Amino acid sequence: MPPLRRSSARAVAATRLREGRDPLEDEARFLRSWFERPLVTGAVTPSGKMLARTMASYADPSVPGPVIELGPGTGPVTEALIRRGFEQERLILVEYNPDFCALLRRRFPRTTVIRGDAYSIRETLGSIVTAPCAATISSLPLFTKPLEKRMELLQDAHDVMQPDAPFVQFTYAVVPPIPARCEAGSYTASRSNRVWLNLPPARVWVYRRPAKMTAKTTA
């Protein structure tokens, strides 16, 4: 993981200062959202710092193109991406909860925040994405959806990304949110070590569509 850029660190610090950010307040927001929409929010607390850093580490700031974040919530992974070296202008945040959308716009004013259905990524993004994306980072509760829907999301995300760009997804489960083995050969999968410092412990899965597979799907 590259060292933290000073400009990014100052931006994150300034954001915290403006917002008076309180982790306990964010946890309360998540808990309220979970009680109201348990199948949409999927978690009772935001991702911890170590999990957010692990997810962001799979996105490379030197690769051109925007980065899509699905289900950013209160923004812990967004903040980790900025610390990783991504400019806010490169980040497209797709969030369904209108309260979280308003919060994200205040905390990260130079990002593009879209209120919409992340599982219908083509319709939600519309004409906003005009260049192949460098990565997709997802905190969606995939296990609340049937496998067919999860596979469709992965395919649609890869369709708007560069070849070999990562689709990054965390899970609390011991099994992958999308099968690690693909009979059709349309993607590869790898996983991180379990992030024990997160509560509850989690693991990050990374799905890629190599260039040769992209050529097959477009042939």
Side-chain angles (χ1 to χ4, degrees):
M1 184 180 299
L4 175 64
R5 293 186 182 180
R6 291 184 178 179
S7 59
S8 297
R10 285 197 297 269
V12 170
T15 297
R16 285 176 170 170
L17 183 61
R18 286 196 306 270
E19 285 298 312
R21 187 167 185 175
D22 183 349
L24 293 178
E25 187 176 340
D26 279 359
E27 290 183 9
R29 287 189 178 101
F30 246 81
L31 189 59
R32 285 196 301 269
S33 180
W34 185 83
F35 275 119
E36 293 170 359
R37 308 177 184 89
L39 295 181
V40 174
T41 303
V44 296
T45 60
S47 299
K49 287 185 178 180
M50 186 59 68
L51 176 57
R53 287 179 59 187
T54 302
M55 295 177 73
S57 71
Y58 289 99
D60 185 352
S62 68
V63 176
V67 172
I68 302 170
E69 188 182 351
L70 305 178
T74 58
V77 180
T78 310
E79 184 173 302
L81 287 167
I82 295 170
R83 286 182 171 273
R84 175 85 167 126
F86 286 94
E87 299 296 332
Q88 288 195 31
E89 289 81 359
R90 294 183 61 184
L91 305 182
I92 300 174
L93 315 181
V94 180
E95 173 59 52
Y96 188 80
N97 185 312
D99 296 331
F100 288 168
C101 286
L103 182 66
L104 291 166
R105 291 188 180 103
R106 293 196 302 271
R107 286 185 173 169
F108 311 104
R110 299 196 309 278
T111 64
T112 299
V113 180
I114 303 172
R115 194 207 168 203
D117 182 3
Y119 293 99
S120 299
I121 191 170
R122 291 177 181 271
E123 293 78 7
T124 300
L125 293 177
S127 60
I128 293 174
V129 174
T130 58
C133 296
T136 298
I137 314 293
S138 170
S139 298
L140 298 174
L142 292 190
F143 281 109
T144 64
K145 299 292 183 181
L147 178 58
E148 181 180 359
K149 191 69 174 178
R150 289 177 251 160
M151 295 293 293
E152 182 182 342
L153 171 65
L154 180 64
Q155 179 178 323
D156 289 346
H158 278 148
D159 285 346
V160 299
M161 290 195 293
Q162 299 191 34
D164 207 39
F167 179 95
V168 182
Q169 173 72 49
F170 87 89
T171 182
Y172 301 127
V174 296
V175 296
I178 297 173
R181 295 183 179 275
C182 177
E183 295 181 1
S186 61
Y187 64 82
T188 63
S190 61
R191 66 180 185 177
S192 73
N193 293 326
R194 187 164 290 278
V195 183
W196 293 105
L197 293 180
N198 195 71
L199 187 64
R203 172 168 280 139
V204 177
W205 283 86
V206 182
Y207 300 88
R208 300 177 187 270
R209 181 194 288 173
K212 61 181 181 180
M213 294 183 182
T214 302
K216 288 180 181 179
T217 59
T218 58

